[in-house]
Amino acid sequence: MEHVTDQPEPAATGPAAEPGPGLGEELPGGRARPKTGKSEQTRAVILETAMRLFRERGYDKTTMRAIAQEAGVSVGNAYYYFQSKEFLIQGFYDRMTHDHAADARVRMRGVTDFAERLEITLASWLDTAAEYHEFAAQFFRTAADPDSSLSPFSNESHPARATAVELFRDVLSGSDLAPKLDTELAELLPELLWLHLMVVVLYWVFDRTPGTARTREFVHRSTPVAARVIGLSRYRVFRPVVRDAKSLIQDFILPTIGRTAVTPSSRPTPDQPGQPG
């Protein structure tokens, strides 16, 4: 029976990615940033293998050793690209954010109604994440810890978050509502819409209805409400309220969201194990 607790392990034999000196730069959180085609391919294989094993065995029962073995790389090489099993979640978050953005932009083509564009984008996220719902509780445990570098709100998560915020900027800018909004509020909205997505994600994590139908209904019913509230802000009578809301958002909400990547900790060299995952 496989031991399911990751411990520091001696380097295993097997095909190595041969990262070379070009891999000196790191992604936030100690993830190696591949700079060669072979290195990028190795990293992708490790991540794809981990996601498959998480779905098949569950997150807690999947070890870094098992991931490395299935991916055909040494344990040390697996740790080179991802410091621990938890950092695979960050890698997943990076990849899924880009997949979601690409899918949502395709679906929004030719649509100018703001409420419809927002609902399309949120539904696209649910579709992109659907196959990972079974181990989604791990996302919540990560996000719920304010000190975790893997939280969506952390400095280390800034690249993926910036991709998502830029998507919501496109949701707004490509809509018929954008020219009518207060300029200052329009600048804040993409990050607020990303926070709305985080509420949807939290609801989705705990949703056990078939096909997460309840979350989809929540998106369908809440999106027009959000769009109406945002739309009302364009009227002069609401400008004082908009200014007050803007001040509260800037003073209390945005400062809690990490903006830049912190200096990552040292990571192991190839074929040397990292910290326990």
Side-chain angles (χ1 to χ4, degrees):
M1 179 179 298
E2 181 183 1
H3 186 54
V4 300
T5 302
D6 290 337
Q7 297 293 335
E9 302 165 339
T13 59
E18 299 175 5
L23 268 166
E25 187 181 355
E26 296 178 352
L27 288 166
R31 291 162 289 149
R33 183 189 296 279
K35 287 192 173 182
T36 68
K38 186 175 181 181
S39 298
E40 179 61 42
Q41 183 180 28
T42 300
R43 184 179 186 277
V45 167
I46 293 170
L47 183 58
E48 290 288 345
T49 301
M51 293 304 106
R52 175 174 61 81
L53 292 180
F54 289 164
R55 292 195 302 270
E56 293 175 356
R57 306 179 184 183
Y59 177 84
D60 292 334
K61 293 183 179 180
T62 301
T63 65
M64 285 292 282
R65 179 176 290 280
I67 292 167
Q69 183 175 1
E70 289 281 329
V73 301
S74 69
V75 176
N77 225 15
Y79 277 117
Y80 179 79
Y81 288 99
F82 299 95
Q83 279 192 340
S84 71
K85 194 169 64 172
E86 278 191 329
F87 282 104
L88 285 156
I89 298 297
Q90 184 72 64
F92 162 77
Y93 183 41
D94 292 341
R95 190 189 66 178
M96 201 185 79
T97 300
H98 283 87
D99 290 349
H100 168 224
D103 179 70
R105 287 188 172 104
V106 170
R107 296 190 191 193
M108 284 191 294
R109 286 176 186 167
V111 178
T112 58
D113 180 76
F114 173 72
E116 189 175 351
R117 287 173 69 85
L118 181 57
E119 183 171 350
I120 285 171
T121 299
L122 296 175
S124 170
W125 189 93
L126 294 175
D127 291 340
T128 303
E131 63 180 314
Y132 304 104
H133 187 255
E134 289 303 314
F135 67 94
Q138 176 61 29
F139 304 157
F140 174 69
R141 289 200 295 269
T142 296
D145 182 357
D147 296 322
S148 172
S149 62
L150 305 185
S151 164
F153 298 90
S154 70
N155 286 329
E156 289 84 352
S157 294
H158 175 74
R161 187 171 58 252
T163 298
V165 169
E166 189 61 29
L167 170 62
F168 284 111
R169 196 177 306 281
D170 288 351
V171 170
L172 179 62
S173 65
S175 74
D176 50 14
L177 180 62
K180 305 173 185 177
L181 290 180
D182 175 88
T183 303
E184 292 178 300
L185 179 61
E187 279 298 308
L188 293 175
L189 268 178
E191 287 184 278
L192 295 182
L193 293 174
W194 176 78
L195 288 172
H196 179 57
L197 172 62
M198 292 299 99
V199 173
V200 172
V201 171
L202 181 60
Y203 197 95
W204 173 83
V205 165
F206 291 101
D207 187 357
R208 292 295 179 265
T209 57
T212 59
R214 193 166 179 82
T215 304
R216 293 176 184 276
E217 181 65 16
F218 172 71
V219 166
H220 180 67
R221 292 175 58 180
S222 66
T223 301
V225 175
R228 283 197 295 270
V229 171
I230 293 169
L232 287 173
S233 68
R234 70 183 188 270
Y235 296 109
R236 188 175 299 275
V237 67
F238 290 106
R239 292 295 171 82
V241 177
V242 170
R243 294 290 187 272
D244 289 344
K246 174 178 174 291
S247 177
L248 285 171
I249 292 164
Q250 288 182 322
D251 292 344
F252 292 97
I253 297 178
L254 297 186
T256 67
I257 302 175
R259 296 306 186 109
T260 57
V262 298
T263 303
S265 58
S266 60
R267 56 177 166 78
T269 56
D271 294 320
Q272 293 297 322
Q275 298 300 315

